[in-house]
Amino acid sequence: MHLPKPRGAFSEQVVATLASGDPTGVGRAPEPETAEDAALALWSLYELSYRGFEEVDDRLEWAPELVAVRRALEEDLEARLRSRWSGTPSYEGDFAAAFFAEVEGHDGPSLARFVQRDATADQVMELLQARSVYHLKESDPVAFSVPRLPVAPRAALMELQYDEYGGGRPDRLHAHLFAGGLAALGLDPHEGAYVDQAPLSVLEQNNAMSLFGLNRRLRGASVGHLAAFEATSSGPCRRMSQGLARLGLAEEMRAYYDEHVEADAVHEQLAVRLICAPLVAAEPETEGDVWFGGFTCLDLEDRVARHYLERWGVSA
Amino acid sequence: MSETATPDVVICPGGPLLLRGEHLVQDEDGVDHETTRPVSAVCRCGRSATKPWCDGTHKVIPEKLRP
Ligand code: FES
Ligand SMILES: [Fe+2]
Ligand SMILES: [Fe+2]
């Protein structure tokens, strides 16, 4: 992967520092100009913990100067995400039932519905490019949470992840299925290929997952995000597949979505009942963050949906 | 149930039945289906489009009518 195009003087200095190999250069960075400037810089720093950039020295992942910048950006992002959340809902009885009910009760704009019925091929291509920022590293952020969970949810998350990563078969690994779909559509299947087009909402969506995954303190938010993601996937993936079929777009991309109709009907149950519920039972102090992570997942997807629907002149 | 008990079959209220491990599942027409993932979700509501597997359709059924 190659470094992205900066979006302001701040991300310009962060990206230049990464390219130079000398982490002290980041000290010359001005304050971020815009939220997008900050988000792109944070995204670039986070990528050092996944598969990195070809032109960046891998050692920079833990350079204290860059970690300090990352921490400041993270604090800012976390504060913003928390300010959007209205707190743990009150419920009686079972956590799993309450969580499913909360997710089902959430009513946001749906890109999948638009793709199913009305989107043009160009719009679908544009959406898939935005989705690629996450889907090409699908499941990677929450993988960081595995060793941070108590016994029962740790085993369950591993079981879910085993399926996401193809059950030992690279050709079934979900991120790789998506890459195959992109290639079949004539799009670039390489990580980071479409980051320069990603709007703020897409960068935030990705950064939130890395924030939750890379900070053990936020393990509750990490698996709560996962649970809400999985619990809002089967239906929308079916609509995406139907939209792709309506437009006669590549079978390989449909296969990615078809796989998720079925896989995520399993994953949502695992995530809510066998990961989040036992985590909350074993470590009650994480419950608030589980709900916070779930809310953040739904809220950020709403923002992405609103961005594209507005851009395409569709009322949500 | 202890914290680390590992049932192989889990009934999800209002939703599918989770089945851990490799199994051959016979659908209502007598056709056999092999499981393909570590855990599979077998539809209990009868409305899935990918039977015998759950596809999340149970969520669009009014709550009182869910399994
Ligand atoms: S139980 Fe989920 S679709 Fe029937
Ligand atoms: Fe997946
Ligand atoms: Fe999944």
Side-chain angles (χ1 to χ4, degrees), chain B residues 14-16 42-48 53-59 67:
Chain B
V42 180
C43 173
R44 291 199 304 142
C45 75
R47 300 272 296 269
S48 171
W53 315 123
C54 165
D55 67 353
T57 300
H58 59 265
K59 290 190 210 174

Side-chain angles (χ1 to χ4, degrees), chain A residues 159 163 231 238 259 268, chain B residues 3 20 37 55 59 66:
Chain A
E159 195 165 50
D163 204 23
R238 190 205 333 277
E259 159 66 7
E268 63 178 346
Chain B
E3 193 214 349
R20 174 174 287 112
R37 35 188 103 252
D55 67 353
K59 290 190 210 174
R66 295 184 197 175

Side-chain angles (χ1 to χ4, degrees), chain A residues 68-124:
Chain A
V69 171
R70 194 186 101 179
R71 284 297 307 126
L73 292 168
E74 282 186 314
E75 261 163 42
D76 220 60
L77 172 62
E78 186 181 342
R80 192 162 55 253
L81 297 177
R82 286 197 188 274
S83 75
R84 294 170 181 167
W85 178 52
S86 55
T88 304
S90 58
Y91 65 93
E92 273 163 41
D94 187 37
F95 166 85
F99 194 91
F100 274 120
E102 182 78 9
V103 172
E104 277 171 45
H106 179 91
D107 185 23
S110 168
L111 283 167
R113 214 175 277 283
F114 180 66
V115 168
Q116 177 188 29
R117 298 180 189 154
D118 303 310
T120 65
D122 284 348
Q123 289 166 337
V124 172

